[in-house]
Amino acid sequence: MNQFDHALEQLARATAVQSFDPALIRKISSPEREVRVTIPVVMDDGATRLFEGYRVQHSSVRGPYKGGIRFHADADIHEVRALAFWMTLKCAVANIPMGGGKGGITVDPKELSAGELERLSRGFVRMLYPVLGPKVDVPAPDVNTTPEIMSWMVDEYATLTGDTTGAAFTGKPLGKGGSEGRALATGLGGFYVFEALKDKLGVPQSSRVVVQGMGNVGGNAAKLFQQHGHTVIAISDSKSAIVKDDGLDIAAVEAYKKEHKTLVGFPGARSISNEELLELSCDVLIPAALEHQVTHVNATRIQAKVILELANGPTTPEADDVLFANGVVVVPDILANAGGVVVSSFEWEQNLKNEHWTEQVVFEKLQTLISTEANTVWERAHALHTDLRRAAFIVALERLGVH
Ligand code: NAD
């Protein structure tokens, strides 16, 4: 099953609980537009290398396409199509006036110099700018794409089109039209969703938390949970994972990783595999890396009470069934990680209105919005006697259907 099959299977499961107009379901099952580009980049040695890139514009029913751009060696059209589909549903669950899109380049950015990375980022925009723009399609960062990459992209877009709003890309650095709070937004949004549902989830006031992935989303989420009195017992990156039963100091773990380029050897912690990390006994498991991490292979061994999906698509449909049967509550990605796109939409709005909101205003708006929607999804799941993923899909489909 590729990721898009996985997404369509989730859709089928939701529509088995509540039926919808078949025309809506057919429409939502196919992206409105897919663009595949070949980007020539002059490398530092003078040779030209070709990179494959994608932009999938899934749905503009509720507003301009919105979604990140991923730089990853495994990025392909199926993955980008699935991520675009989930963006459409996520923006609808979050109730923001945005559609869904996603982009990707098949590249391991760690193999490129800074100059090559900039030329690749600008090249992506040169190939795609006719189908991007503040009222058309507004990309953002995702795995391996940073505020600096967004600033190259928005700059290239301005050069090519004369746009002065800066609203064609979000996730920009603060000095380049970025929003206060954007860097923290996905982790913080996930934390607000957890806080809104905490009493209903039946987890202790001070929970034991495991985080897979230590990038923008996982690193910030781990710090937030720690700051609010929870104990982060384990964390990982793509090559290493560590566990410490009495809790990790995440800022110290980040400093250690910066110096040693690995988590292995962090004082007082034991090294484990990424597979073992997922199966640790804990209250909350936070996948914050890539898709397909909890599958039919390991679902029966998951000991967490709650899975808070900050990555996109970390749990397969088969695993969902096992987890539901075992009483593990999965807070789905299209709700749990919506904080990023919510604050991206705030950034877009500020750019268009030429405003700059304080961090406090951004966080208050985020918390109000995402807590409301978390409760909407929870109540719908209870009313329909179903899981939170099916309920979130149903809430999204209802909102897509009225447009
Ligand atoms: P990032 O590039 O900043 O970090 C990714 C992290 O995952 C890194 O620590 C990396 O080492 C780790 N990782 C990669 N492969 C791994 C593996 N096989 N096992 C364990 N760890 C692994 O990316 P990010 O922006 O933090 O995104 C992480 C996830 O969150 C992705 O699924 C992304 O789509 C999703 N997401 C991101 C945002 C956002 O605002 N950045 C918003 C919503 C969802």
Side-chain angles (χ1 to χ4, degrees), residues 15-45:
T15 54
V17 173
Q18 181 170 312
S19 56
F20 286 87
D21 178 359
L24 170 69
I25 302 308
R26 271 199 306 278
K27 193 157 185 269
I28 216 78
S29 301
S30 288
E32 290 173 4
R33 183 196 271 155
E34 296 186 350
V35 188
R36 182 190 157 283
V37 293
T38 304
I39 309 156
V41 176
V42 179
M43 306 302 279
D44 291 347
D45 64 3

Side-chain angles (χ1 to χ4, degrees), residues 210-213 217 278 285-290 293-294 307-312 314-315:
V210 168
V211 183
Q212 184 197 39
V217 176
L278 295 171
L285 170 63
I286 303 183
L290 296 169
Q293 298 302 305
V294 183
I307 298 183
L308 184 68
E309 291 187 333
L310 295 193
N312 285 305
T315 312

